[in-house]
Amino acid sequence: MSRFATGVTVFTTCGEHAHAMTANAFTSLSCEPPLVLGCVAETARMHDLLAPGSCLGVSILADDQEPIARHFADRARPRGWRQFGDLSWWCGQGTGVPLLAGATAWLECEVADVYPGGDHAIVVARVLGCGEGVPGALTFFDGGFGRLGAPEPVPTTFQASGVA
C-alpha cells in the first residue's frame, strides 16, 4: 500500500486530553449525511480518545506543511496542549477542536461509530462544519512526502467558437 498516494491530515481532539496525530488513512465516506472515515492504530494515543460522541478535528495539510506532519508523527513530542507549542491554530467554532492554520481544508466532526479493523480502529465521523484554506496539498507516497500544487483554474464560463 506504500505505492498508493494519499493526502496527509492531522487529527485533533480537545478538552483535558487534547491530542493530535498525523494520519494519511482518511477519506470521504458519504455525502448525505456528510461522513468521513479515518483509521487509527490501536497503539496510538489517539485511539482511546475517539469514542462515539467525541469530537474530532481534521486539518488537511497544505503542500508546505511537512514539518507539521513530522511534528505530530513524532511520539517524543509533548503531550496535551503543549504539543501545539508555537504552531498557529484556532479552536473550531462548533466543537472547540484545534484546527491548524495554513491547512488546505479543515473539518469539525463528531465521532459516529468506531469499528475494529485488525490492528487499527475504523473511525466514522459526521462532518459538522468545514472550510477551505490555501491551495496545494501535502501527499505521502512510498514512505516519503510530496507536494501537489494548486491546479490551474477551470474557466467558469463556456463560449463556443466558430459555432453558428
Side-chain angles (χ1 to χ4, degrees), residues 8-10 26 57-63 65 90 99-108 129-138:
V8 182
T9 67
V10 171
F26 174 76
V58 180
S59 296
I60 301 172
L61 298 186
D63 58 4
Q65 292 184 306
W90 74 95
L99 299 167
L100 300 173
T104 194
W106 56 263
L107 300 98
E108 288 185 82
C130 60
E132 292 181 337
V134 301
L138 185 63

Side-chain angles (χ1 to χ4, degrees), residues 51-122:
S54 64
C55 295
L56 172 68
V58 180
S59 296
I60 301 172
L61 298 186
D63 58 4
D64 64 349
Q65 292 184 306
E66 180 179 340
I68 292 172
R70 290 187 181 282
H71 171 73
F72 287 115
D74 182 355
R75 288 184 167 269
R77 73 185 179 283
R79 291 184 179 228
W81 290 104
R82 291 185 319 129
Q83 69 190 290
F84 295 96
D86 295 332
L87 297 174
S88 183
W89 58 276
W90 74 95
C91 287
Q93 289 182 314
T95 62
V97 293
L99 299 167
L100 300 173
T104 194
W106 56 263
L107 300 98
E108 288 185 82
C109 305
E110 178 184 19
V111 175
D113 289 297
V114 180
Y115 302 98
D119 60 0
H120 280 61
I122 302 164

Side-chain angles (χ1 to χ4, degrees), residues 39-44 47 115-122:
C39 298
V40 177
E42 290 177 349
T43 57
H47 181 270
Y115 302 98
D119 60 0
H120 280 61
I122 302 164

Side-chain angles (χ1 to χ4, degrees), residues 2 7 17 23 29 32 35-36 39 50 54 85 101 104 109-110 128-129 138:
S2 68
H17 300 292
L29 178 62
E32 194 55 44
L35 298 172
V36 293
C39 298
L50 298 175
S54 64
T104 194
C109 305
E110 178 184 19
L128 305 175
L138 185 63

